[in-house]
Amino acid sequence: MTEPAASSVPEPTPPPEPSPSGRGPRRAWAAVTAVSLGIFCLITSELLPVGLLTPVGADLGVSDGTAGLMVTVPGLVAGFCAPLVTVGAARLDRRHLLCALIALMAAANLAAAFAPDFTVLLAARLLVGVSVGGFWAVAGGLAVRLVPGHHVGRATALVFGGVPTASVLGVPAGTLLGELGGWRTAFGAVGVLGALTTAALLLLLPALPPSGPVTFRELPVLLRRNRAVRAGVVVTFLVVTGQFAAYTFVRPILRDVSGVDSGLVSTLLLGYGLAGVAGNFLAGPRDARRTLLTVSATLTAVLALIAVVPGAAAGTALLLVWGLVYGGVSVSLQRWMLHAAPRAAEAASSLMVAMFNFAIAAGALAGGLAVDGVSVPAAPLTGAALMLAAAVTVAVTSRSAAGAERMDGAERTPGLTKRSRTERVRSRATE
């Protein structure tokens, strides 16, 4: 009897590569999705007042500029808490930490929904800041622990996809809900969503004991020695401050400058959101520095125009361009920092998250001072000036930052002399 040919014997199908947590791929991706949902809830909660400034101010008897503190306060607190929680919670299981932070956010929003005055509301917003800073900084490095190595990039993108999605969809949805049922309903809905997200994290996340914690000493050392990280932190501050100096007051801008009817603001913000999601995907695969240069230069023009050009049609068109362009900011900043410090990704992310949130607070404060001290159009003009500074900074620092990264790589190459390293950097700089 003739034995069958080797080619006719079917090869066994290899089992799928297990995730680092030892769980199946479906559970691993479900865990990643739960973390992304947590990011979405937190950033939506942080920025929710943007679309509710006018009704909150009218109900609680404060000006638009004072109501802007609802964005300033959690931004400042989140900026401080990003590195503090990353370092201070070094010995806690990440699963327990993330669940506690989301639960705190849910409770804070429910408290805000029942706040009898602006002081209580502002205290609740402070707790939101604690949750945002801690969760965002810790969640950024979880993908490598949840999915196989070849899926880490996609999982990280999904986790951080919660940031732009919240910025461009969460706020408009909250604004619409606030118009339909009142601003308290919007805060209460985010609180309920946070409670559901806490349950999802408890069910889907595996045990995540701490590993390789960041130390306080590592953060200033990274800033001092890595020029690309320093440049990324500066650009983060300028772009995000410029954005929120204007965007925090987008409702008064559309009302007073563009002449948009108040009932249409939520619809326009939903359009802004959809444009922003498209911008996020368009920017994702592109070079981070070139994208940020394009973003900051374009937004300089858009914010200047929306401050001075009247008419609902012009305001609508400029708002949609604004959303499309700004949608690529978060993913580009994250990619810049991870590329600048691939061996210190958690520390670099912590610095970026801290500055991102400080910049939200600074932008809301600067815009509030401009609105109360000058006029509503002064807020987008302030944003335009900061975007221009960001564009100049990106243009000036990109080449030197790239040269520093090449030098760092050359210094890690065995047998490469100082002279040859210098010649290599010079030759590449001329390409």
Side-chain angles (χ1 to χ4, degrees):
M1 181 180 292
T2 306
E3 294 192 12
S7 59
S8 66
V9 180
E11 293 290 337
T13 302
E17 181 182 348
S19 66
S21 61
R23 308 199 309 172
R26 289 186 179 179
R27 291 296 299 272
W29 282 106
V32 171
T33 303
V35 175
S36 182
L37 179 60
I39 290 281
F40 173 84
C41 290
L42 286 162
I43 305 303
T44 297
S45 176
E46 183 178 18
L47 304 181
L48 183 62
V50 168
L52 302 173
L53 286 183
T54 301
V56 170
D59 190 28
L60 299 182
V62 297
S63 68
D64 283 345
T66 301
L69 291 174
M70 292 188 293
V71 180
T72 302
V73 168
L76 285 172
V77 174
F80 281 111
C81 286
L84 288 178
V85 172
T86 301
V87 176
R91 298 186 178 183
L92 294 180
D93 186 298
R94 287 337 194 207
R95 174 174 178 265
H96 298 155
L97 177 61
L98 295 182
C99 290
L101 289 169
I102 287 290
L104 177 64
M105 181 276 294
N109 277 283
L110 291 175
F114 293 97
D117 54 45
F118 189 71
T119 301
V120 174
L121 177 57
L122 209 56
R125 299 294 298 165
L126 184 148
L127 297 179
V128 169
V130 175
S131 303
V132 170
F135 191 101
W136 189 357
V138 172
L142 288 183
V144 69
R145 305 182 63 182
L146 295 175
V147 299
H150 63 285
H151 287 314
V152 166
R154 190 165 50 143
T156 301
L158 178 58
V159 168
F160 280 96
V163 177
T165 305
S167 300
V168 299
L169 286 182
V171 173
T175 303
L176 179 60
L177 188 58
E179 290 182 354
L180 294 175
W183 66 268
R184 296 181 185 275
T185 301
F187 279 105
V190 175
V192 171
L193 182 60
L196 294 174
T197 303
T198 303
L201 290 169
L202 282 171
L203 289 172
L204 298 174
L205 278 182
L208 295 168
S211 61
V214 178
T215 64
F216 282 116
R217 182 179 300 178
E218 183 179 352
L219 301 179
V221 169
L222 185 62
L223 272 177
R224 186 173 64 252
R225 294 182 178 178
N226 192 315
R227 285 180 289 180
V229 168
R230 282 202 308 274
V233 169
V234 171
V235 172
T236 298
F237 174 78
L238 292 172
V239 170
V240 179
T241 302
Q243 163 71 7
F244 285 94
Y247 187 61
T248 303
F249 301 94
V250 66
R251 188 181 187 116
I253 292 167
L254 293 174
R255 178 193 64 202
D256 296 352
V257 179
S258 302
V260 174
D261 184 84
S262 297
L264 296 176
V265 170
S266 60
T267 302
L268 292 182
L269 289 179
L270 282 173
Y272 171 99
L274 293 173
V277 171
N280 176 63
F281 286 106
L282 288 173
R286 288 172 170 77
D287 178 79
R289 291 189 180 91
R290 292 179 181 176
T291 299
L292 288 169
L293 179 60
T294 301
V295 164
S296 52
T298 304
L299 288 181
T300 299
V302 169
L303 295 182
L305 289 172
I306 204 170
V308 298
V309 177
T316 299
L318 289 169
L319 183 69
L320 294 177
V321 175
W322 185 357
L324 178 69
V325 175
Y326 184 75
V329 166
S330 295
V331 64
S332 297
L333 288 173
Q334 185 65 34
R335 290 182 62 226
W336 179 320
M337 299 302 284
L338 294 179
H339 180 69
R343 296 188 179 182
E346 188 172 347
S349 293
S350 176
L351 291 170
M352 190 275 287
V353 171
M355 185 53 70
F356 199 107
N357 285 281
F358 281 138
I360 290 175
L365 180 60
L369 292 173
V371 168
D372 285 350
V374 184
S375 63
V376 169
L381 288 175
T382 300
L386 289 164
M387 288 295 179
L388 179 59
V392 172
T393 303
V394 174
V396 170
T397 62
S398 289
R399 186 171 295 274
S400 61
E405 292 167 14
R406 294 188 184 109
M407 179 64 76
D408 290 341
E411 288 173 351
R412 290 192 294 267
T413 303
L416 194 62
T417 65
K418 181 177 181 180
R419 181 177 178 182
S420 62
R421 288 197 302 268
T422 303
E423 291 174 350
R424 178 176 293 185
V425 171
R426 287 178 178 172
S427 65
R428 289 182 179 177
T430 61
E431 293 178 357

